[in-house]
Amino acid sequence: MTRTTTSQILMIAVLTAAGGWGLQRLLLRQGIHMPHANLATVIALIVAAGLITWGGLVVRAYLNGKRPKLNGLSAARIAVLAKASSITGAVFFGWFAAYVLIALENVGIESQASKALWGGITAGAAVILTVCAMIAERNCQIPPEEPKKEASNPQPA
C-alpha cells in the first residue's frame, strides 16, 4: 500500500467541491435547501482525527519496538484506517467548501451567513482530519531496512 499524496488529496477535494457545488445548485433550483452544518459533525470529525492520531502513534511505538503487545495485523488496520480517513477528510472538505460557496451567494441573509460560517468551521474540521490521518499514515510506514555490513576482516586468498 502506498501512502496518500497531497496531490491525490487536493484532486479529491477539488472534484468533490465541483460536484458538490453542481449538485447543491441543482437542488436549490428544485427548491430543496441543504440543512445547516452543525456542531455534532465538527465534533465527530475532530474526535476521529484525535483517535486516528493516537492510533498512528501506537503503531509508531510498535515499529520502534516500544509496544510489543500490538500485532502486525492491528498495525495494518490502523494504517488502512488512516488512509481511508485522509480521503474521507478530503471529501468532507470538498463538500463543505461547495456548501460555503453556495451560502456565500446570499450572505446578506442572516440564515445564509450562519450556513456559511458553520460550513467553514466544518470544512476546517475536515482539514484537521485529513492532516491528522496523513500524519498517522506516515507513522504507520515501515522504515526501510538497513543494508547488511560486510565483514571487516578480509579473507586471504
Side-chain angles (χ1 to χ4, degrees), residues 9-22 24 86-102 119 122-124 126-127 130:
I9 293 297
L10 291 174
M11 182 178 61
I12 291 167
V14 167
L15 290 175
T16 305
W21 183 82
Q24 290 180 47
S86 65
I87 293 169
T88 301
V91 169
F92 268 98
F93 173 78
W95 178 261
F96 283 103
Y99 184 88
V100 169
L101 290 175
I102 295 292
T122 308
V127 168
T130 302

Side-chain angles (χ1 to χ4, degrees), residues 106-125:
N106 297 315
V107 77
I109 303 170
E110 186 178 338
S111 66
Q112 294 300 310
S114 175
K115 269 185 155 181
L117 174 66
W118 277 103
I121 292 170
T122 308

Side-chain angles (χ1 to χ4, degrees), residues 58 94 148:
V58 168
K148 294 181 180 179

